[in-house]
Amino acid sequence: MPVIAALLAAALSLSALPQAEQDDLHCLAYLSVAAGKVQGDLREKVDGGALYYFGRIQARDPQLDIAAGIDAILHAPGYGPETYQADKARCHAQLDPLAGQFEAWKGKFGGAK
């Protein structure tokens, strides 16, 4: 199947997914792009966020082809800077409070024996 047809099929199947899966795939797409732009500690935070969304999707739908979903989002005709920024804002609204809670957990239990 040509690449364009495969991406179109993946995009159509994405729209059939529950909204939670679509939202989490968009966060993974955003974080995938962000991972290529950062290094060091910030890269570790991006990777941690990606792992969070990856786990959420896997817990709800272990059969979902996450890579195909991300490809479909990143190669969709309407995906661009505005979509990226909207996904970034929405995803950080979820991630930032969790990151603070995680840091508190690490401070209390991170070195527990």
Side-chain angles (χ1 to χ4, degrees):
M1 179 183 309
V3 174
I4 303 276
L7 289 173
L8 181 58
L12 291 173
S13 67
L14 277 178
S15 65
L17 291 174
Q19 191 64 47
E21 260 80 300
Q22 291 181 49
D23 290 347
D24 287 354
L25 281 168
H26 269 266
C27 287
L28 274 175
Y30 148 66
L31 290 165
S32 296
V33 173
K37 297 180 177 186
V38 297
Q39 297 176 2
D41 289 343
L42 194 50
R43 174 61 192 257
E44 288 180 24
K45 290 179 181 182
V46 168
D47 290 347
L51 182 60
Y52 169 75
Y53 285 108
F54 189 88
R56 283 171 51 107
I57 294 168
Q58 281 291 106
R60 285 191 304 259
D61 189 353
Q63 304 305 315
L64 182 64
D65 187 343
I66 294 173
I70 293 170
D71 279 341
I73 290 166
L74 293 177
H75 294 99
Y79 192 85
E82 289 179 10
T83 308
Y84 176 87
Q85 290 300 324
D87 287 343
K88 178 180 179 179
R90 183 180 50 76
C91 300
H92 276 280
Q94 291 176 320
L95 284 175
D96 292 348
L98 291 172
Q101 292 172 3
F102 182 71
E103 288 301 317
W105 172 85
K106 278 181 24 180
K108 186 171 183 179
F109 299 108
K113 294 182 182 189

